[in-house]
Amino acid sequence: MARRIVVCGGGSAGGVLAARLSEDPANTVTLVEAGPDYRTPEETAPELLDANQFGFTTHDWGYESADHVADADSIPMFGIVEQGILPVLRGKVIGGSSSVNGANALRPTPEDFARWTGLGNDRWSWDHVLPYLKKLEDDPVGGELHGTGGPVHIERFTEGNGLRPVMSAFLEACAQAGHPVHEDINGVRKRGAGPIPFNRKNGIRQSSAIAYLGPARHRENLTVLGEQTVDRVEFTEDGTARAVILADGTVLEADLVVLSAGAIGSPAILMRSGIGPRRLLDRLSIPTVQCLEGVGCNLRDHPMVYLTYAVDEEAVGELMPPLQTALAFSSAGAAGQGEVDLHALPFTMEPGVMLVPLAVVRPYSLGSVEITSRAPEADPRIRLGLFDHPDDLRRMVAGIRQIREIMGSGPLEKYVRAETWPGPEATTDADLARAVLQGKNTYCHAVGTCAMGGEGTPAAVVDQAGKVHGVDALYVVDASTMPDIPAVPTNTTVMMMAERWADQLG
Ligand SMILES: Cc1cc2nc3c(=O)[nH]c(=O)nc-3n(C[C@H](O)[C@H](O)[C@H](O)COP(=O)(O)OP(=O)(O)OC[C@H]3O[C@@H](n4cnc5c(N)ncnc54)[C@H](O)[C@@H]3O)c2cc1C
């Protein structure tokens, strides 16, 4: 049956979805992206291609969180964070955040999906998702757990294969502190240190634009509209989505509408379309199509701080690639059986400085997003809620103590000169907690604002197939649908979800 499908947002999920759905010539797929569409690598800005850089310096939505941030001493993050501002980075370009991100391709684990099924999403168990994690990747590690030949090529820096001595020393220091070291931290093992798997090939970030859309561009049934902002979805009287309205008034008629505008963009489009919390819709005089209190709630992100060290420039040598290794560990300590709730990733970008981003990856804090106006170009109000829950703060403090031990240990002695943030004067738990609240930042993994769950579940916005509750022909496929945040960076999980839903929607 011929179908007109409009995918709103060309990011990690939208790129995968548009490429997969257009494999069927019976589908006519239009992908609408607010940022620029670069059709070839030659047209693409270098910072979007180079996996050692971050593309958000040039292609970002410019959002800020309304969380309180201390006025003084906020931690500089690559020179873009102004004092007292907590940016909510989101890629505004074809490929979305997958075009601007760290290309860290850590996969979610069986524990992550046990949480999803525990929340009533029984069709999202590890056994359901593993085939799609394998389908998307081309990981030379191979074996039963990994796919080879998928669109997203995976690379690791290992001993003898580009691993820098300082990163090797970090792994040794982790081992000395009692953490297991694995060559493949994308197995089912969740605890320990090892080389990070990256979605990169010959130094090029494998975004959804490069890995999925690039090879699909020649298809006559796929149209990509760049620099076009989606305003809202229009419905028939019986609540079936029938068209997408762009900010310039263009009407795109559709048999199926998929929102893939991400954890900030998708709830905003739903709210402008009349689907959201009743009080908000009433306040902005938006006619209600479907009252769903969960839209924009349940925002989950990984709170992070940037531990900072002065290092011996000469001993560290080459700064690139800036990121090569990671440690996944428990706030309960290396020896115990506590769950993995922390990540640390040593990072070099400037001579003489090493950052160790440290994140709580099983956060309890919750945030929210809501529109402030019916105008599609108006910024929504975003509250990440980082460290609102006292246990997130407690675990971060415990994590800092463990990383201090690692950074001060023998294998790193010739590299590390001094801790410059929070600094040696921060010794008590209260000192560290204060420093964390002043220097709080995010791992940039917002999810959950159109959460999957059974109809009537308080936060639920979509069902297990991605269909928005209470209306027809409208789906959400992106990070916003995650019912809980996985304890890993989120890009691979989003791409897996898009692969799986493409199979079902196709
Ligand atoms: C700086 C940064 C670093 C990160 N690093 C990593 C990492 O190393 N590894 C990892 O796994 N994850 C990382 N992440 C997170 C990961 O990239 C995201 O979770 C993932 O890309 C989200 O995918 P998505 O499809 O939900 O949204 P996005 O990829 O953000 O896509 C949403 C798209 O919709 C478009 N859009 C929004 N609103 C509209 C509208 N109204 N009309 C039209 N288009 C619209 C946006 O421009 C964007 O292209 C990082 C994220 C950031 C921002």
Side-chain angles (χ1 to χ4, degrees), residues 31-37 94 224-229:
L31 178 64
V32 187
E33 167 54 41
D37 177 30
I94 197 71
V224 181
L225 301 177
E227 295 187 327
Q228 291 285 355
T229 301

Side-chain angles (χ1 to χ4, degrees), residues 166 309-317 319 351-354 412-418:
V166 64
Y309 294 86
V311 289
D312 186 304
E313 221 177 297
E314 220 169 284
V316 168
L319 295 176
V353 180
M354 178 179 278
L412 285 165
E413 203 175 5
K414 81 175 213 211
Y415 301 100
V416 178
R417 292 234 163 106

